Amino acid sequence: MNTGSNEPGGVAVASDEAEEMRDRARDERGLGSRAPEFIKARRALHLSWQVGVFVVGLAVVAAGIVMLPLPGPGWVVIFGGMAIWATEFVWAQLVLRWTKRKVTEAAQRALDPKVRRRNIILTSVGLVVVGVLAGIYLWKFGFVMPWKIGGQ
């Protein structure tokens, strides 16, 4: 029976350092192409593979950009296209890592009680300002429908 220890009768204990090293190793995987070896072995095939990955990633990113003003998960699709590019291009891998780090930091900051309180106060003030401006507009100009329902 393997207990994960090098000493007889010893028991392996998972330390925070070991977990940290595994996480760091996972994050610092080799940058570059993740194409299969038989594709990387032939220059022309690898170049056509990269062009194909770029075109597919570009189509996904373009669809995400279209979804930004239209209904749909625009940012999720854009990051999906970046993930497709990251399978082949170092610059996309670096951008994706930077984005993941910034999103994680923002999520941690958003959970801070002071920041949440500030965000709630700012949202409330913004809603009050919009409500007052809408009230002033309606008081000054009234509410007129662009079509005539009563005159028919």
Side-chain angles (χ1 to χ4, degrees), residues 6 12 25 27 36 54-55 69 75 86 89 91 106 110 138 150:
N6 291 334
D27 287 343
F54 182 79
V55 169
W75 285 109
F89 303 108
W91 61 268
L138 289 174

Side-chain angles (χ1 to χ4, degrees), residues 47-127:
L47 187 61
S48 61
W49 176 271
Q50 285 182 326
V51 169
V53 167
F54 182 79
V55 169
V56 170
L58 184 64
V60 172
V61 168
I65 290 172
V66 168
M67 287 183 203
L68 287 176
L70 299 175
W75 285 109
V76 173
V77 174
I78 289 172
F79 290 129
M82 288 296 296
I84 291 171
W85 279 339
T87 63
E88 209 47 47
F89 303 108
V90 173
W91 61 268
Q93 292 169 358
L94 296 174
V95 168
L96 215 52
R97 285 181 184 177
W98 179 84
T99 305
K100 286 179 184 177
R101 189 173 61 248
K102 291 298 179 182
V103 166
T104 303
E105 290 171 6
Q108 291 300 320
R109 280 195 314 265
L111 294 176
D112 182 26
K114 286 188 262 185
V115 174
R116 290 187 71 200
R117 191 176 314 116
R118 184 200 64 200
N119 289 346
I120 290 171
I121 290 170
L122 287 174
T123 302
S124 301
V125 168
L127 288 173

